[in-house]
Amino acid sequence: MQNQQTRQLTNGAMMAAVFTVLLAISVYVPVLSIVSTLILALPVAWYSAKYPWKASALFASVCLVLSFIIGGLLSVPLALIHVPLGLAIGISIYYKKSKLFMFMGASIVLLVSLMIQYVASIALFGINVLEEFSAMFDQSYEQTGAMMERFGASETSMEEYNELVAQLQFSFETMLPVLLVLGVFMSVWVLLLILLPILKRLGIAAPKFPPFRSMKLPKSVLWYYLIVLLVSLLSEFEPGTMAYMIFINATVLLQFLLFLQGISFYHFYIHQEGWPKWVTVLVTILALPLQSFTSIVGIVDLGFDIRGWVKRAHEFKGK
């Protein structure tokens, strides 16, 4: 028992030192900070994967305190992103949760962390990141407009430019919630692709993502999409209202999920045919400009289980 506690303290001190070094590089070294930031959650994830949640939570708290000591307020936002993320990943591994549970849990933790930091920045420092970004956008827009006027742009061109900029700004403000959610989920997915192989090399039995071709969304997603389409046909939402914002965000999110489902079917079919990997890459790239068609493929795949037909056809041919 004594040896186990000693080993736990030793591992904690070692991982805290690794976290401190990675954090210092992320804050003070410009080029290497790109790499160190991507693996900053690694020490917390490693420790949390080996020890229960109470010890892991204490270790995470120590890392947050160290981040303030090392980099002051400048490093705290970075630590508040990666420490809870590493904690969620490690605890999921320790308690043998599925890869989907880990992915969803880490994404929710990261989303909550970002929201807390956003509210805290307004309440404590009076800094609204979104307003600052909007001000930068307006400034860039004004500078571009002034440049166009200096080069002799006509009034018609300036009006079209102003309308385009206003539309882009309105679209961004309307779709901000879904853009934030998709950004968080994509970021967590990329970080898991980086961190989990490293954890395996360090002796942690991390779960493995199933192949993308096996991804199958629940059929409820299709019903949600049909409900949104029906509501859009029966109702008219005034732009700028809360109902309009909810409708647009729900539509974009569901279309994105069905788009992923369509790409997943492409991968599945290519694998069934035994075609080379470069075909998979080419088809995935071509799916981007063919987004509408790919979403339709995803709808058909969910609604009619065409994967089962493809499998039976290959079994019949003896493939």
Side-chain angles (χ1 to χ4, degrees), residues 19 22-28 33 36-38 40-41 64 67 72-85 110 113-114 117:
F19 175 82
L22 290 175
L23 182 68
I25 294 174
S26 300
V27 175
Y28 298 113
S33 61
S36 62
T37 301
L38 291 175
L40 186 56
L64 290 175
S67 68
L73 290 176
L74 182 64
S75 64
V76 170
L78 190 63
L80 285 175
I81 290 175
H82 291 276
V83 171
L85 184 66
L110 179 56
S113 175
L114 290 175
Q117 291 190 60

Side-chain angles (χ1 to χ4, degrees), residues 116-162:
I116 291 175
Q117 291 190 60
Y118 173 71
V119 174
S121 66
I122 297 175
L124 299 178
F125 306 106
I127 300 175
N128 190 321
V129 178
L130 296 180
E131 289 183 357
E132 294 291 332
F133 179 82
S134 180
M136 291 174 57
F137 179 86
D138 292 339
Q139 184 179 3
S140 176
Y141 149 67
E142 291 174 359
Q143 290 176 352
T144 305
M147 187 179 300
M148 291 176 64
E149 289 180 348
R150 284 199 301 270
F151 281 99
S154 63
E155 291 185 5
T156 304
S157 300
M158 292 302 301
E159 289 178 1
E160 291 177 353
Y161 171 72
N162 292 333

